[in-house]
Short mmCIF file of all heavy atoms in Angstrom, two decimals:
data_model
loop_
_atom_site.label_atom_id
_atom_site.label_comp_id
_atom_site.label_asym_id
_atom_site.label_seq_id
_atom_site.Cartn_x
_atom_site.Cartn_y
_atom_site.Cartn_z
N GLY A 298 101.80 93.20 110.43
CA GLY A 298 102.57 94.33 110.94
C GLY A 298 103.26 95.05 109.80
O GLY A 298 102.64 95.28 108.75
N HIS A 299 104.55 95.36 109.98
CA HIS A 299 105.23 96.16 108.95
C HIS A 299 106.66 95.76 108.60
O HIS A 299 107.11 96.03 107.50
CB HIS A 299 105.21 97.64 109.35
CG HIS A 299 103.92 98.26 108.98
ND1 HIS A 299 102.79 98.08 109.71
CD2 HIS A 299 103.56 99.03 107.92
CE1 HIS A 299 101.78 98.71 109.14
NE2 HIS A 299 102.22 99.29 108.05
N CYS A 334 98.25 93.23 106.08
CA CYS A 334 98.78 94.60 106.09
C CYS A 334 100.16 94.64 105.42
O CYS A 334 100.40 93.92 104.48
CB CYS A 334 98.82 95.18 107.50
SG CYS A 334 97.19 95.63 108.10
N CYS A 335 101.07 95.45 105.97
CA CYS A 335 102.30 95.71 105.20
C CYS A 335 103.40 94.68 105.38
O CYS A 335 104.20 94.49 104.46
CB CYS A 335 102.79 97.12 105.47
SG CYS A 335 101.79 98.28 104.51
N ASN A 351 93.76 93.50 104.24
CA ASN A 351 94.31 94.76 104.72
C ASN A 351 93.83 95.04 106.15
O ASN A 351 93.23 94.18 106.78
CB ASN A 351 94.05 95.91 103.74
CG ASN A 351 92.65 95.90 103.16
OD1 ASN A 351 91.78 95.14 103.56
ND2 ASN A 351 92.41 96.76 102.19
N MET A 352 94.07 96.26 106.60
CA MET A 352 93.95 96.56 108.03
C MET A 352 92.64 96.09 108.66
O MET A 352 92.63 95.53 109.75
CB MET A 352 94.13 98.06 108.21
CG MET A 352 94.75 98.45 109.51
SD MET A 352 93.62 99.12 110.73
CE MET A 352 92.77 100.43 109.97
N GLN A 372 102.91 98.30 114.36
CA GLN A 372 102.11 99.26 113.57
C GLN A 372 100.84 98.62 112.99
O GLN A 372 100.91 97.58 112.33
CB GLN A 372 102.93 99.90 112.44
CG GLN A 372 104.14 100.69 112.94
CD GLN A 372 105.10 101.07 111.84
OE1 GLN A 372 104.76 101.05 110.67
NE2 GLN A 372 106.32 101.41 112.23
N CYS A 373 99.73 99.31 113.21
CA CYS A 373 98.43 98.95 112.63
C CYS A 373 97.85 97.64 113.18
O CYS A 373 96.97 97.04 112.57
CB CYS A 373 98.50 98.90 111.11
SG CYS A 373 99.07 100.44 110.41
N GLY A 480 97.82 104.18 101.20
CA GLY A 480 97.21 104.35 102.53
C GLY A 480 96.28 103.24 102.94
O GLY A 480 96.13 102.21 102.27
N CYS A 481 95.60 103.52 104.01
CA CYS A 481 95.00 102.52 104.88
C CYS A 481 93.55 102.22 104.54
O CYS A 481 93.02 102.67 103.54
CB CYS A 481 95.04 103.08 106.30
SG CYS A 481 96.45 104.16 106.63
N ASN A 482 92.93 101.45 105.46
CA ASN A 482 91.47 101.38 105.61
C ASN A 482 91.11 102.22 106.82
O ASN A 482 91.91 102.45 107.71
CB ASN A 482 91.00 99.97 105.93
CG ASN A 482 91.05 98.99 104.79
OD1 ASN A 482 91.36 97.82 104.99
ND2 ASN A 482 90.71 99.44 103.60
N THR A 509 100.41 101.22 96.99
CA THR A 509 101.13 100.55 98.08
C THR A 509 100.14 100.29 99.22
O THR A 509 98.98 100.72 99.15
CB THR A 509 102.25 101.45 98.65
OG1 THR A 509 101.66 102.61 99.20
CG2 THR A 509 103.29 101.84 97.62
N GLY A 510 100.62 99.65 100.26
CA GLY A 510 99.87 99.52 101.51
C GLY A 510 98.53 98.84 101.35
O GLY A 510 98.32 97.95 100.52
N CYS A 511 97.58 99.29 102.18
CA CYS A 511 96.26 98.67 102.19
C CYS A 511 95.49 98.97 100.90
O CYS A 511 94.59 98.21 100.52
CB CYS A 511 95.48 99.13 103.41
SG CYS A 511 96.18 98.47 104.92
N ALA A 512 95.82 100.07 100.25
CA ALA A 512 95.18 100.41 98.97
C ALA A 512 95.46 99.30 97.95
O ALA A 512 94.56 98.85 97.23
CB ALA A 512 95.69 101.75 98.45
N SER A 551 104.82 98.08 100.34
CA SER A 551 104.26 98.43 101.65
C SER A 551 104.20 99.95 101.83
O SER A 551 104.55 100.69 100.91
CB SER A 551 105.15 97.82 102.72
OG SER A 551 106.44 98.41 102.62
N CYS A 552 103.80 100.40 103.02
CA CYS A 552 103.72 101.87 103.24
C CYS A 552 105.09 102.53 103.08
O CYS A 552 105.18 103.60 102.48
CB CYS A 552 103.22 102.24 104.62
SG CYS A 552 102.03 101.17 105.35
N TYR A 586 93.98 106.34 107.79
CA TYR A 586 93.66 106.51 109.22
C TYR A 586 94.89 106.91 110.03
O TYR A 586 94.79 107.50 111.09
CB TYR A 586 93.09 105.21 109.81
CG TYR A 586 94.16 104.34 110.43
CD1 TYR A 586 94.52 104.47 111.78
CD2 TYR A 586 94.89 103.43 109.67
CE1 TYR A 586 95.56 103.72 112.33
CE2 TYR A 586 95.92 102.69 110.21
CZ TYR A 586 96.25 102.84 111.55
OH TYR A 586 97.28 102.12 112.08
N SER A 587 96.09 106.55 109.52
CA SER A 587 97.28 106.51 110.38
C SER A 587 98.08 107.81 110.33
O SER A 587 98.07 108.52 109.33
CB SER A 587 98.14 105.33 109.91
OG SER A 587 99.49 105.56 110.14
N LYS A 589 101.11 107.81 110.02
CA LYS A 589 102.10 107.57 108.95
C LYS A 589 101.56 108.09 107.62
O LYS A 589 102.31 108.61 106.80
CB LYS A 589 102.39 106.07 108.82
CG LYS A 589 103.16 105.50 109.99
CD LYS A 589 103.34 103.99 109.84
CE LYS A 589 102.04 103.25 110.01
NZ LYS A 589 102.14 101.82 109.69
N ALA A 590 100.25 107.97 107.44
CA ALA A 590 99.66 108.46 106.19
C ALA A 590 99.76 109.99 106.11
O ALA A 590 99.92 110.55 105.01
CB ALA A 590 98.21 108.02 106.09
S1 MSK B 751 99.32 98.73 106.96
S2 MSK B 751 99.68 102.33 107.71
S3 MSK B 751 96.78 100.63 107.58
S4 MSK B 751 98.47 101.29 104.65
FE1 MSK B 751 100.85 99.73 106.22
FE2 MSK B 751 97.70 99.67 105.91
FE3 MSK B 751 97.93 102.17 106.55
FE4 MSK B 751 98.77 100.38 108.20
#
Side-chain angles (χ1 to χ4, degrees):
H299 278 77
C334 286
C335 282
N351 42 8
M352 211 256 307
Q372 299 167 18
C373 304
C481 328
N482 287 143
T509 63
C511 291
S551 63
C552 326
Y586 93 90
S587 150
K589 291 176 290 172

